[in-house]
Amino acid sequence: MNDLGQDLELRLVRYFTAVAAHQHFGRAAAELHVAQPALSRQIQRLERRLGARLLDRVPQGARLTPAGQAFLPRARDLLQAARQAELAVRDQAGTERITIGYVEDLVITAAVRELRRHHPHAEIATRHLSCRDVKALSDGSVDALVGRAPLPLAADEVLTTPLYEEHRMLVVPRGHPLAGRASVTSEELAGEKAAPCAFETGDWTSYQLLGPDVPPLDSHEDKLELVAGGQAIAVLPVGDLRSSLRPDLVTVPIEGAPPSRVVVVSRKDDPNPMIRHFRLAARALLPAPAA
């Protein structure tokens, strides 16, 4: 029996779209900052409300049922409509606001802190984006995005501001034949199969896993585990220090690889003045990290 006497809660709809995007309750719960059991209960509430099962648990995570597949595009439309309604009201009220997205290891704290200092009454939010959040800018979930170029976004639809460049390094497990090298060349890595995430395009991505049979992975920790286990090697920007936290991994500089370019992008012709303020703060305060 469904809950026909209740309104559909947007929060439950948002939870459902997160699980559908990740196809995994655990990863969705981490993104939403809720406990996994609580997320499961909320999805069950939504299913009771709609009178249909939306997701099936499978060994790999979660899979949409036919009802879930039918509901997903409508759920996204509901969330986007709610977002547009909120923006329309805020525009009329003259409220300064911005949501800033960032990916992988990038740290934007200094620029956000400066933005808040100059605009103490503005609503400034940040959102860490996973590989599956590639549409966050186009659908209005974020107003600006700090990421590594090239991004899978139409050049005529976005405004791009370069911030800085980083060299690239190879990450291998200790004991690997390349682990003791002073450097390696890009030619030595040519031809290796890569498994980039959805935010990455081009021959050299911000984070490549190289190996004979590399599965697509969302989690950075899962990628490093694959490398540490000897199933792959990885190419990272030198500013990504997360691999240094593992004593079983070694980094080696790469010669001849194009640099990783960090940029700020936003929707072209977006009238939000906070975007320009953030760009200025980012250019001033987000230089390349010290080597």
Side-chain angles (χ1 to χ4, degrees), residues 1-81:
M1 181 177 178
N2 59 14
D3 301 326
L4 293 177
Q6 299 180 8
D7 293 331
L8 192 61
E9 294 183 39
L10 288 178
R11 178 172 59 94
L12 303 185
V13 176
R14 185 173 295 107
Y15 285 2
F16 163 72
T17 59
V19 178
H22 287 282
Q23 298 182 32
H24 195 280
F25 276 87
R27 289 194 289 267
E31 176 188 315
L32 296 166
H33 303 290
V34 299
Q36 184 173 335
L39 176 60
S40 296
R41 289 193 296 271
Q42 298 306 318
I43 294 298
Q44 291 170 1
R45 282 189 58 200
L46 178 63
E47 290 173 332
R48 287 196 300 269
R49 170 65 182 85
L50 296 174
R53 188 169 184 82
L54 302 175
L55 293 155
D56 285 331
R57 290 185 180 272
V58 294
Q60 296 78 16
R63 180 177 58 198
L64 288 168
T65 65
Q69 292 173 357
F71 182 57
L72 181 58
R74 293 166 176 82
R76 288 172 173 160
D77 288 345
L78 280 172
L79 294 175
Q80 185 170 1

Side-chain angles (χ1 to χ4, degrees), residues 131 136-137 222:
C131 294
L137 186 65
D222 287 341

Side-chain angles (χ1 to χ4, degrees), residues 112-125:
V112 173
R113 183 187 297 120
E114 181 72 0
L115 196 63
R116 286 176 173 149
R117 187 173 72 84
H118 283 282
H119 302 272
H121 302 296
E123 296 183 8
I124 300 170

Side-chain angles (χ1 to χ4, degrees), residues 6-289:
Q6 299 180 8
D7 293 331
L8 192 61
E9 294 183 39
L10 288 178
R11 178 172 59 94
L12 303 185
V13 176
R14 185 173 295 107
Y15 285 2
F16 163 72
T17 59
V19 178
H22 287 282
Q23 298 182 32
H24 195 280
F25 276 87
R27 289 194 289 267
E31 176 188 315
L32 296 166
H33 303 290
V34 299
Q36 184 173 335
L39 176 60
S40 296
R41 289 193 296 271
Q42 298 306 318
I43 294 298
Q44 291 170 1
R45 282 189 58 200
L46 178 63
E47 290 173 332
R48 287 196 300 269
R49 170 65 182 85
L50 296 174
R53 188 169 184 82
L54 302 175
L55 293 155
D56 285 331
R57 290 185 180 272
V58 294
Q60 296 78 16
R63 180 177 58 198
L64 288 168
T65 65
Q69 292 173 357
F71 182 57
L72 181 58
R74 293 166 176 82
R76 288 172 173 160
D77 288 345
L78 280 172
L79 294 175
Q80 185 170 1
R83 174 71 170 172
Q84 291 172 343
E86 177 186 356
L87 292 177
V89 172
R90 291 180 186 275
D91 288 344
Q92 288 295 318
T95 304
E96 289 185 321
R97 56 159 304 282
I98 186 173
T99 299
I100 305 160
Y102 60 104
V103 301
E104 286 290 357
D105 64 300
L106 298 178
V107 178
I108 62 173
T109 307
V112 173
R113 183 187 297 120
E114 181 72 0
L115 196 63
R116 286 176 173 149
R117 187 173 72 84
H118 283 282
H119 302 272
H121 302 296
E123 296 183 8
I124 300 170
T126 60
R127 179 180 173 189
H128 184 265
L129 303 176
S130 73
C131 294
R132 296 182 182 273
D133 295 324
V134 69
K135 295 183 179 179
L137 186 65
S138 58
D139 69 12
S141 299
V142 300
D143 303 297
L145 168 64
V146 180
R148 286 193 168 89
L151 294 167
L153 302 169
D156 60 346
E157 296 179 0
V158 298
L159 181 63
T160 301
T161 300
L163 295 181
Y164 58 88
E165 295 183 345
E166 293 179 332
H167 294 298
R168 299 178 191 267
M169 63 184 179
L170 182 68
V171 181
V172 295
R174 290 193 180 276
H176 190 278
L178 298 176
R181 294 276 294 273
S183 65
V184 297
T185 66
S186 58
E187 289 78 11
E188 290 178 273
L189 304 178
E192 296 282 3
K193 180 182 177 182
C197 89
F199 263 117
E200 301 158 350
T201 59
D203 295 334
W204 285 88
T205 68
S206 67
Y207 195 139
Q208 286 179 308
L209 285 176
L210 307 176
D213 188 20
V214 180
L217 296 170
D218 290 341
S219 165
H220 177 82
E221 290 73 20
D222 287 341
K223 293 175 182 179
L224 290 185
E225 187 63 32
L226 201 68
V227 174
Q231 297 173 273
I233 56 179
V235 174
L236 281 73
V238 296
D240 188 337
L241 303 179
R242 293 175 293 179
S243 62
S244 65
L245 300 177
R246 295 192 57 145
D248 51 356
L249 296 177
V250 175
T251 62
V252 183
I254 300 176
E255 298 178 0
S260 172
R261 297 185 295 119
V262 179
V263 299
V264 178
V265 295
S266 63
R267 293 178 293 276
K268 189 169 286 188
D269 301 324
D270 191 321
N272 186 345
M274 292 296 291
I275 296 175
R276 181 177 64 85
H277 298 320
F278 175 70
R279 287 180 184 279
L280 293 174
R283 291 186 66 180
L285 297 170
L286 299 183

